[in-house]
Amino acid sequence: MNDSPGWATPGPSPSDGEQPGASDGRSGGEGTQTPAGGQKWSAEQPPPGAGLPPDGIWGGSSPATPQPPHAPQPLQPQPGAGWGSYGGPQGGQYGYPGGAGQWGKPPAAKPGVIPLRPLDMGEVLDGAVSTMRSHWRSVLSITLVVATVIQVINVIVQKYAFADLAVTSDPDADLQDVLDALSGTMTALLAEGFIQIIGTILATAMLTMIFSRAVLGQRSTIGGAWREARPQLLRLLGLTFLITLAAVALVSVLILPGIALSSIGIGVLGGLASLPLLIWLGIKFSLASPALMLEKSSVIGALRRSSKLVQGSWWRIFGITALTGLITAFVSAVIVWPLTAIGLVFGLADGGPEALQNGTAATGWVPLVFSGIGAIIAQTITMPMQSGVTVMLYVDQRIRREALDLELARAAGLENYGTNAATTPPAGG
């Protein structure tokens, strides 16, 4: 694996051959290691209770030192039962100290913003925030430009689209005027939505590359992120529109009986029934974007990849995603609402009480500009937070299922990471 963020599926585990310093003797069918004291011991540790590791690995006394009959055994890896204390695939799930009767988490290499082991929720969020803090020039520059373009167009559309909607409330307006106003408004809103989707795709693609580099402890520039993301932009656009089209089709199918029967109640029930399905599908395919960008896969391949990675971890990913959404919504509200209120005060000061009655207090230039400034600030902060959490979840799932930490360690330049896990812990971050 090279140091580019295009991560392919990890290959076989590191060589299981003898390490430097191994003797020709055998113990239990495995190559033996010679510690500093000169005593030979097996590279694969026995299960708990069958012996103690040599001094200086997890603590405890030297094997030559007699132990009391009921002395507590030091922590040691379980051969063949999962992952060892420091990494290295043994089959099964990734296990580490921290369960019942154990203490804390094992040392783990940390070349970048996250340790190379399965992450808990706090580490996923911290990885996203740490990247924003340590790579703020690249991250905030991208999101600031995208958010500014989106909000400038949004302010213009709201100003003139809402002005056209005033025609529809005029009792003297004829049907043709109402239809023209609605047509113009819908066209403007669709154009705004399209620009917002394009901007979000550009930001997501470039941020994914920056976050993937941050996992390896590498710096990224805006130009470098653009060069790495550009080949996959059309596929990411296709992925976004395919998911959007599928969501629209699902909602349409479920509300269609209510429309056919002219029943509002049935239509509402169909719309409510679509919500849990949309949430389930949204989480199921939530990792498709980083899979497409980092593995250079196709649209369908990215959807299948996300489905495979999420399988068995749906509730965990849903919980972290929902918490991220609550955090970003709170941050946005704290920023946008005060500025929107200030804009409304200025609007009322210019138009008086009549502006509040006819709705012009919210559609004047001053309130719209204040609201747009608040939205720019909020999006600049929350957009990388959401993208970062998605990338960290993708990396975490691949570490749990595919031992991606070994590939990342080699890409980060950590030599012999995972090849001698039973005797030497990797460099801590």
Side-chain angles (χ1 to χ4, degrees):
M1 175 175 175
N2 54 30
D3 60 354
S4 68
W7 299 330
T9 303
S13 60
S15 174
D16 292 326
E18 293 182 353
Q19 303 299 323
S23 70
D24 294 332
R26 297 288 176 179
S27 176
E30 298 291 333
T32 57
Q33 302 289 337
T34 305
Q39 183 180 358
K40 297 179 180 181
W41 54 283
S42 174
E44 185 175 5
Q45 294 300 299
L52 296 174
D55 197 12
I57 298 184
W58 291 282
S61 304
S62 171
T65 303
Q67 297 291 324
H70 301 288
Q73 300 295 325
L75 295 177
Q76 49 191 334
Q78 302 295 320
W83 287 74
S85 295
Y86 300 110
Q90 303 284 346
Q93 296 294 324
Y94 193 119
Y96 53 84
Q102 298 180 345
W103 308 277
K105 293 181 180 179
K110 190 179 180 183
V113 293
I114 58 172
L116 299 185
R117 54 168 169 72
L119 308 174
D120 57 32
M121 181 172 60
E123 289 168 335
V124 170
L125 298 174
D126 181 69
V129 175
S130 297
T131 304
M132 293 172 58
R133 185 172 60 249
S134 58
H135 300 73
W136 64 271
R137 288 183 179 86
S138 300
V139 171
L140 297 185
S141 296
I142 293 172
T143 54
L144 178 61
V145 170
V146 171
T148 300
V149 172
I150 291 175
Q151 291 306 318
V152 167
I153 296 175
N154 185 39
V155 167
I156 295 174
V157 168
Q158 288 187 45
K159 173 63 179 178
Y160 294 104
F162 289 167
D164 291 340
L165 282 178
V167 176
T168 62
S169 60
D170 186 1
D172 298 330
D174 57 17
L175 180 61
Q176 187 62 40
D177 292 336
V178 172
L179 292 177
D180 290 342
L182 291 175
S183 176
T185 300
M186 292 302 299
T187 301
L189 292 176
L190 288 175
E192 176 197 357
F194 179 77
I195 295 297
Q196 186 164 356
I197 290 175
I198 295 298
T200 303
I201 288 174
L202 288 174
T204 300
M206 297 176 69
L207 290 174
T208 298
M209 296 305 172
I210 292 176
F211 279 98
S212 66
R213 290 282 185 181
V215 171
L216 300 175
Q218 301 173 355
R219 293 282 179 178
S220 297
T221 62
I222 297 176
W226 167 250
R227 287 191 296 271
E228 292 171 348
R230 183 173 56 189
Q232 292 293 98
L233 284 178
L234 288 180
R235 291 181 178 179
L236 184 59
L237 179 64
L239 174 68
T240 303
F241 277 104
L242 180 61
I243 293 177
T244 303
L245 182 63
V248 172
L250 176 63
V251 175
S252 301
V253 168
L254 291 178
I255 66 174
L256 188 61
I259 297 175
L261 298 175
S262 301
S263 173
I264 297 177
I266 296 178
V268 170
L269 288 176
L272 293 176
S274 67
L275 289 178
L277 292 176
L278 290 175
I279 294 174
W280 179 73
L281 289 175
I283 299 300
K284 183 179 180 66
F285 299 124
S286 62
L287 304 183
S289 174
L292 183 142
M293 296 302 300
L294 298 177
E295 299 180 22
K296 312 299 183 185
S297 64
S298 63
V299 173
I300 301 301
L303 292 174
R304 291 174 178 171
R305 193 83 170 99
S306 177
S307 177
K308 178 181 178 181
L309 291 173
V310 172
Q311 186 178 8
S313 301
W314 190 96
W315 283 107
R316 178 176 177 274
I317 296 176
F318 168 75
I320 296 175
T321 304
L323 178 61
T324 304
L326 291 175
I327 293 173
T328 54
F330 176 77
V331 172
S332 297
V334 168
I335 297 172
V336 173
W337 288 356
L339 290 174
T340 302
I342 293 173
L344 287 175
V345 170
F346 279 104
L348 289 174
D350 290 340
E354 293 80 8
L356 188 61
Q357 295 177 358
N358 55 30
T360 57
T363 58
W365 281 114
V366 174
L368 286 177
V369 167
F370 270 89
S371 177
I373 292 174
I376 289 173
I377 298 173
Q379 280 190 322
T380 300
I381 297 174
T382 60
M383 191 183 300
M385 179 71 177
Q386 293 172 326
S387 298
V389 168
T390 301
V391 173
M392 297 305 159
L393 283 172
Y394 166 82
V395 174
D396 174 57
Q397 287 302 112
R398 288 197 61 182
I399 289 176
R400 291 171 181 269
R401 295 177 178 272
E402 301 170 352
L404 183 65
D405 58 324
L406 301 178
E407 298 291 326
L408 294 177
R410 285 194 286 269
L414 302 179
E415 297 182 359
N416 300 323
Y417 177 87
T419 61
N420 199 17
T423 60
T424 305

